[in-house]
Amino acid sequence: MKKIGFIGLGVMGGSIVKHFLKHGYEVFVYNRTQAKAAPYLAIGAKGCATPTEVANASEIIFTMVGFPQDVEEVYFGSHGIFQGDVAGKYLVDLTTSTPSLAQKIFVKGVERFAHVLDAPVSGGDLGAQKGTLTIMVGGIEEDYAALQKEFAVFGKTINYQGVAGSGQHTKMANQIMIAGTMTGMTELLVYANAAGLDVEKVLATVGGGSAANWSLSNYAPRILQGDYTPGFFVKHFVKDLKIALEEAKKLGLDLPATAQAEALYEKLENEGYGNDGTQSLIKLYWPEGIAPVSKK
Amino acid sequence: MKKIGFIGLGVMGGSIVKHFLKHGYEVFVYNRTQAKAAPYLAIGAKGCATPTEVANASEIIFTMVGFPQDVEEVYFGSHGIFQGDVAGKYLVDLTTSTPSLAQKIFVKGVERFAHVLDAPVSGGDLGAQKGTLTIMVGGIEEDYAALQKEFAVFGKTINYQGVAGSGQHTKMANQIMIAGTMTGMTELLVYANAAGLDVEKVLATVGGGSAANWSLSNYAPRILQGDYTPGFFVKHFVKDLKIALEEAKKLGLDLPATAQAEALYEKLENEGYGNDGTQSLIKLYWPEGIAPVSKK
């Protein structure tokens, strides 16, 4: 079994580390806020003081941090992965980040004889807990093939998408789609509630037909129960949509629906909901905080 | 078996009439363009010269026409349903129309001792052919209950939504949701294609996770095959979204994502795509007509 390195012990990363430990892997971990590493050290993970140390100790190094600037720091910083011995090793960024940064890491990896993959995931906290994440992999196909066993530890749908950056581009496509389902679901609920309909009946009717989608099935019931706990943070969705729009701009594209969604979510974040779940978008439409509630 | 009246023999209405005939009902039909009635007369439907005649000859009168002004004409026109004998009969509008018009028909029906239901459908041409439509019913619940047998002839999910107009409001909620899935799907494809990804691989990856939705599963493959034939007309979707936004305005609501979708679809219609399927939205993003094509 290869030695695993894992940098970033947030909600997602933490669950993945647990899976590796459960499968009997030796796991070297680092987290910027050191206290967050404690629960994983308690169940067998080995603590490192810097990303460089993780790189030196491990053979496959996964990173899963918050923002592109964090990814940059973890790889290229003065205590970063590339300060360590990476020759012949696998560097896999699971963070949703920019395709251009994925390419920059890949190029640096080539120089240093490392195998670099960009492999953002979808499936949220629940998918991470269950080990059923979707993993979208960019890089060299042989490198992707070489890590099948390790990806299977925490993923279910594990697809090769193309050259370096393609994992990130695929994730952006995914987020563009979700921008549509989240705004549509939110405005559906707002409308149905204001029109005096029984929202539960509406969901029972429209949820099974041509309006059917994952957000409607999974988030609308949470909203009706007043549950805004994050499956996915507003602040991270804003980050993702910003990256998507910047990339689109570079490609010469205008994506007005995605831009509208980003504007709404950015407004939501500015109003203080960054650490709530993405389903809290509905709060923008009821500034006084009255959201539809279940009539049952 | 009650005598059925059917006004409006378009793609949807025509299929429903066939179901009634197949089930052994006597069906009296009217269509504004008379030539379109011929195929149904040939298989046993009885032709009427006006909606008034249909109302006089039938016990349950269904209407399924294009726009609210057509509904208005069919019910209140000089040869309309309310010129006929409607006492004790059922008047059921299957057209997607305005909640306020549904209420107006209902009130007139009360005056004339008729049972009035608004019952727009979803499920498109295919659902009509298969007799598996979703039917969203507004009006008096007893009247809804009384027509279960007849609704089951062409519908599968048949739900009572509330007082008169609630069927139409529910359909609006449905269309607001679809505005999100269609714009999201379109921008996903545009982005993925421009980013140089293999679009089929992207769909295989994102289609099963939290981005999953009916539009992505059903329309994206058609777009990749260059198939823009209408399951649902652009011009009708524009009509629906306009109604939704007008109703939202009456309710004091601002629905920016739906408004953005409406603006895109209205632009598409103005560019001459009104009689194409709603999946042709992608043509707006490639003015030169180059849409993603399957690489297989």
Side-chain angles (χ1 to χ4, degrees), chain A residues 51-52 55-56 74-86 112:
Chain A
T52 312
N56 287 335
V74 157
Y75 281 90
F76 297 99
S78 54
H79 300 285
I81 290 170
F82 284 123
Q83 294 296 320
D85 164 29
V86 298
R112 302 285 304 280

Side-chain angles (χ1 to χ4, degrees), chain B residues 168-190:
Chain B
Q168 297 298 351
H169 273 310
T170 301
K171 181 67 188 283
M172 288 304 119
N174 188 76
Q175 301 305 71
I176 287 168
M177 185 67 250
I178 291 176
T181 57
M182 291 304 291
T183 53
M185 175 202 64
T186 302
E187 297 194 356
L188 174 160
L189 290 174
V190 167

Side-chain angles (χ1 to χ4, degrees), chain A residues 4 11 17 36 48 54 68 81 100 106 119 127 132 136 159 172 183 190 196 201 221 242 255 258 260 267 269 278 281:
Chain A
I4 302 295
V11 178
V17 164
K36 280 197 187 168
C48 293
V54 174
I81 290 170
S100 55
F106 179 85
T132 58
M136 312 163 203
N159 289 344
M172 288 303 120
T183 53
V190 167
K201 279 191 186 175
K242 278 185 174 169
L255 305 180
T258 306
Q260 177 61 72
K267 192 173 173 213
E269 188 184 19
T278 48
L281 179 60

Side-chain angles (χ1 to χ4, degrees), chain B residues 198-215:
Chain B
D198 181 327
V199 179
E200 306 240 6
K201 278 190 187 174
V202 173
L203 294 178
T205 302
V206 310
S210 47
N213 67 89
W214 192 95
S215 294

Side-chain angles (χ1 to χ4, degrees), chain A residues 34-119:
Chain A
Q34 271 193 308
K36 280 197 187 168
Y40 305 98
L41 304 183
I43 56 172
K46 295 177 180 167
C48 293
T50 63
T52 312
E53 267 189 33
V54 174
N56 287 335
S58 325
E59 294 165 277
I60 307 173
I61 298 103
F62 291 99
T63 51
M64 193 162 212
V65 294
F67 293 84
Q69 58 267 36
D70 303 320
V71 175
E72 184 96 30
E73 177 69 21
V74 157
Y75 281 90
F76 297 99
S78 54
H79 300 285
I81 290 170
F82 284 123
Q83 294 296 320
D85 164 29
V86 298
K89 298 182 175 179
Y90 290 83
L91 311 180
V92 186
D93 186 23
L94 304 175
T95 318
T96 296
S97 171
T98 68
S100 55
L101 180 52
Q103 289 159 352
K104 182 179 164 186
I105 298 169
F106 179 85
V107 168
K108 183 74 175 175
V110 169
E111 287 174 28
R112 302 285 304 280
F113 304 101
H115 308 277
V116 174
L117 296 169
D118 52 301

Side-chain angles (χ1 to χ4, degrees), chain B residues 58-90:
Chain B
S58 323
E59 294 164 277
I60 306 173
I61 298 102
F62 291 99
T63 52
M64 195 163 211
V65 295
F67 293 84
Q69 57 267 39
D70 303 319
V71 175
E72 183 95 30
E73 177 69 21
V74 157
Y75 281 90
F76 297 99
S78 54
H79 300 286
I81 289 169
F82 284 123
Q83 293 297 319
D85 163 28
V86 297
K89 297 182 176 179
Y90 289 84

